[in-house]
Amino acid sequence: MNILFPVVRFSDVSTILSPFVKNMATVMKGKIHLLRVEPLLDQYLEMRVKEAEEWLDQFIAENFKDTAVHRGPVVTGDPSVKILEYIDQHEIDCVIIGTHGRRGLKGVLFGSVAKDIVSKSPVPVLTLNPYLMTKSFKKRNAIYLEELMANRDVK
């Protein structure tokens, strides 16, 4: 199973969700694909792409050091379009994407990549707002993974 995890810069969403993504990959016996899309916002595109490349390498080193991942390239363009293209080109089976849960005027002004992916993706999409994940949810997730791994070792 190929799991796509589009990562976000300038926010702690991806960092918070990284342990959950690793657990899902373990449970689903999947391969994690990391992708960073740099929006076309300014004239300093080459510099932004280079910074994003360095950031992605550091993100992987800090959050996926013990996990095999496929490091996708840093691409430029509309994040929703590029994520959907990546899903098709790399036979992705599932997408895990973080969301801020913005509503009202903020949601309208800034839009939502997660919302676009959910509505247009040809594969299942799991959206998570890390700011709403409770300590008990995180603990249950860790306990479930431990039990799963213990049962797998027995068989």
Side-chain angles (χ1 to χ4, degrees):
M1 169 171 276
N2 288 315
I3 300 170
L4 176 60
F5 182 42
V7 292
V8 179
R9 281 177 67 188
F10 309 117
S11 166
D12 58 351
V13 169
S14 296
T15 302
I16 295 170
L17 294 180
S18 294
F20 183 81
V21 172
K22 290 190 285 189
N23 287 350
M24 287 294 292
T26 301
V27 170
M28 304 301 287
K29 299 179 185 173
K31 179 179 181 182
I32 300 168
H33 290 247
L34 296 178
L35 177 67
R36 168 69 195 147
V37 179
E38 196 67 26
L40 294 171
L41 296 176
D42 58 45
Q43 62 198 22
Y44 305 105
L45 187 59
E46 286 182 34
M47 180 180 71
R48 288 191 55 164
V49 169
K50 183 178 180 197
E51 288 174 356
E53 293 277 357
E54 292 169 0
W55 176 86
L56 184 56
D57 289 336
Q58 183 177 351
F59 178 82
I60 292 169
E62 292 174 2
N63 297 284
F64 289 90
K65 59 185 165 202
D66 299 329
T67 307
V69 297
H70 173 79
R71 181 201 184 279
V74 172
V75 296
T76 59
D78 179 278
S80 299
V81 170
K82 295 300 181 178
I83 291 169
L84 291 167
E85 286 175 0
Y86 192 93
I87 290 168
D88 185 50
Q89 293 168 355
H90 293 87
E91 298 181 5
I92 298 298
D93 301 300
C94 173
V95 178
I96 300 174
I97 190 166
T99 179
H100 294 288
R102 291 188 182 115
R103 292 189 177 129
L105 189 56
K106 277 188 178 181
V108 172
L109 291 177
F110 295 108
S112 171
V113 173
K115 184 178 178 182
D116 280 351
I117 300 304
V118 167
S119 66
K120 298 174 183 173
S121 175
V123 300
V125 178
L126 175 61
T127 62
L128 296 168
N129 183 333
Y131 306 112
L132 299 178
M133 292 170 67
T134 64
K135 288 181 183 179
S136 65
F137 172 80
K138 292 176 185 176
K139 184 177 180 181
R140 285 193 316 270
N141 186 42
I143 291 170
Y144 173 74
L145 182 63
E146 287 174 14
E147 290 174 357
L148 179 74
M149 296 306 288
N151 289 338
R152 188 188 312 185
D153 291 339
V154 172
K155 294 181 180 181

